[in-house]
Amino acid sequence: METLQKVKQDGLQMAKDYVDEVYEKVIKQNPNENEFLQCVKEIFDSLVPVFTKHPHYMDNSILERIVEPERMVTFRVSWVDDHGKVQVNRGFRIQYNSAIGPYKGGLRFHPSVNTSIIKFLGFEQIFKNSLTGLPIGGGKGGSDFDPKGKSDGEIMRFTQSFMTELYRHIGPDIDVPAGDIGVGAREIGFLFGQYKRIRGNYEAGVLTGKNPRYGGSLARKEATGYGTVYFVEEMLKDKGLSFEGSTVVVSGSGNVAIYAMEKAAQLGAKVVACSDSNGFVYDQNGINLETIKRLKEIERKRISEYVKIHPTAEYYEGCTGIWSIPCDIALPCATQNEIDETAANLLVSNGVKAIGEGANMPCTLEAIDVFLKNDVLFAPAKAANAGGVAVSALEMSQNSMRLSWSFEEVDAKLHQIMENIYRNCVQAAEEYGYPGNLVVGANIAGFIKVADAMIAQGVI
Ligand code: NDP
């Protein structure tokens, strides 16, 4: 008995040492890339029980390999603004891992985009895409271009210039970009038009998030937000809870936030607050979603305009204050690290029961600790927001078949995929000794499929 115990302890120590050693190397090779290192740390720490149980992953140097992108390109994007001045931005595409399918992941246009952000998003994407159960590898891209305040002509000239370099790296069976922050249907349209013009070929499956009029999937626009709510719904159900009658706070008012609010409201919740990068609105009567859609999707205005239309609502400058509003369920759907330890403690002291990460890495590692220690149900991004990329993969299927499914068909498939992801995370967490910890469950379930495929394909 004692010997068995000793062998187990030795195995655990060996796994911990291995993870620490590789992480130290990652820090040395990627200094000052804080977002990337944060994401790597979260994933690596979850994998210790996997290496303890299956040491062959260590023998195959799987961590060293998976953390190193297959390739990353950065490129110059020159374009002419409305005043005739030449502007220059930096473009990025990371092709992180193609073990289970063509690289797949969105493009982000935001001034904060840099190597660290692209690498964190790309690394996270590998595991997320694996969790969907669909054959897609991990990639990501974008630019430090700021679409805010730009005319349609400027957006078009920038995206055309961006695609004039990007096209040589992508293709329906190579790498399939989509949208992310600052890249919606308008930008995808311009990108697709330019790709088609350069290639002289109608390759519909080269980009997803297209308008359904020319090859986009119905329900893609709704998929990330709806999917997050479907995932949280499963998590609540397991504890005998539901959205019905609950108070919900959602950060952001972009693609993910709007459709998370819509589905939460459809399930009987009252969404009382949402935000943009300038501030947040609190409406105790429940946010009027038609107003938000008009302001954000059509008029591209600031969220502060909401209170002019609904004078009983309140507007506050700054984003972080939104987490001081008491709620049962919080859905951070704006950007990375928007909930820190202080905000997490505030949410807990106000009685929050569940957190669903609609955005990528919206909670810091310290904030996640606060939630887990206080038994708050926690749905991690790579599982909870995987519905967007899942429906993107369904868009690729429809493009290959040259067929379109109805909204209801796609939504039903999305719902099923989110239920499967939830069950797989729960099962992996249990199997590896962390029952109820979906952070660990998601990382392990996502990792194993990719790691096994990498090993099966030899040392490449
Ligand atoms: P959008 O550009 O449509 O919306 C982003 C929203 O977040 C806007 O309301 C924006 O406000 C706000 N925001 C952006 N940056 C900041 C910041 N630094 N501080 C505070 N608020 C900010 O993007 P999406 O809705 O597509 O993406 C939101 C999140 O969801 C991102 O983390 C993205 O990676 C993730 N995600 C998106 C998917 C998709 O399918 N679109 C799929 C999976 C994950 P403002 O208008 O003022 O900039």
Side-chain angles (χ1 to χ4, degrees), residues 108 110 121 128 140 148 179-183 220 224 252-257 275-278 296 302 319 333-336 358-360 385 388-389:
R108 176 177 291 192
H110 192 271
L121 290 167
K128 179 189 313 206
K140 199 81 192 186
K148 230 174 272 163
D180 192 80
I181 292 179
V183 179
R220 172 61 186 91
T224 311
S253 49
N255 174 256
V256 180
S275 61
D276 64 18
S277 55
N278 293 111
K296 290 301 197 177
R302 307 312 297 157
C319 312
C333 294
T335 194
Q336 63 275 355
N360 280 314
N385 73 26
V389 75

Side-chain angles (χ1 to χ4, degrees), residues 169-189:
H169 307 290
I170 62 176
D173 294 315
I174 302 170
D175 182 354
V176 183
D180 192 80
I181 292 179
V183 179
R186 175 183 55 171
E187 291 74 19
I188 292 291

Side-chain angles (χ1 to χ4, degrees), residues 36-259:
F36 177 57
L37 294 173
Q38 177 183 339
C39 161
V40 170
K41 173 100 185 110
E42 186 218 282
I43 293 172
F44 274 23
D45 283 351
S46 301
L47 298 178
V48 170
V50 179
F51 300 130
T52 312
K53 208 167 172 181
H54 306 292
H56 73 281
Y57 290 125
M58 294 190 277
D59 303 337
N60 279 280
S61 302
I62 212 73
L63 268 194
E64 293 92 320
R65 288 162 63 189
I66 208 167
V67 80
E68 189 64 30
E70 289 178 22
R71 72 191 60 77
M72 175 161 174
V73 291
T74 64
F75 49 93
R76 183 176 65 213
V77 188
S78 312
W79 56 283
V80 181
D81 70 16
D82 284 349
H83 308 290
K85 188 168 178 346
V86 176
Q87 301 285 346
V88 180
N89 287 96
R90 183 170 291 175
F92 300 84
R93 187 70 189 167
I94 192 163
Q95 298 182 331
Y96 223 119
N97 193 297
S98 61
I100 60 170
Y103 310 104
K104 181 91 198 81
L107 298 170
R108 176 177 291 192
F109 293 169
H110 192 271
S112 64
V113 166
N114 57 28
T115 308
S116 170
I117 298 279
I118 295 294
K119 279 159 75 176
F120 121 63
L121 290 167
F123 192 54
E124 181 84 356
Q125 196 82 41
I126 303 172
F127 304 89
K128 179 189 313 206
N129 292 3
S130 162
L131 282 171
T132 66
L134 300 166
I136 38 178
K140 199 81 192 186
S143 172
D144 58 2
F145 171 76
D146 187 358
K148 230 174 272 163
K150 302 288 191 298
S151 68
D152 282 355
E154 288 177 318
I155 298 282
M156 186 176 72
R157 291 193 293 280
F158 170 79
T159 49
Q160 287 179 340
S161 178
F162 184 86
M163 183 52 89
T164 302
E165 170 60 29
L166 185 70
Y167 89 94
R168 70 189 75 242
H169 307 290
I170 62 176
D173 294 315
I174 302 170
D175 182 354
V176 183
D180 192 80
I181 292 179
V183 179
R186 175 183 55 171
E187 291 74 19
I188 292 291
F190 294 151
L191 288 164
F192 184 71
Q194 184 71 352
Y195 179 84
K196 182 163 60 82
R197 186 157 69 152
I198 296 170
R199 299 276 301 153
N201 216 5
Y202 204 101
E203 298 169 34
V206 70
L207 286 166
T208 59
K210 300 181 294 295
N211 188 310
R213 289 201 183 101
Y214 66 90
S217 176
L218 292 167
R220 172 61 186 91
K221 185 173 67 172
E222 292 81 0
T224 311
Y226 278 22
T228 301
V229 171
Y230 290 149
F231 188 96
V232 173
E233 191 188 16
E234 289 306 303
M235 189 171 76
L236 292 170
K237 234 192 263 172
D238 264 359
K239 298 285 174 204
L241 302 168
S242 77
F243 273 96
E244 178 74 45
S246 65
T247 301
V248 177
V249 166
V250 177
S251 65
S253 49
N255 174 256
V256 180
I258 287 176
Y259 293 97

Side-chain angles (χ1 to χ4, degrees), residues 412-423:
K413 287 184 203 296
L414 167 68
H415 206 152
Q416 189 60 58
I417 289 169
M418 297 315 296
E419 278 183 35
N420 292 348
I421 296 175
Y422 176 71
R423 291 285 147 225

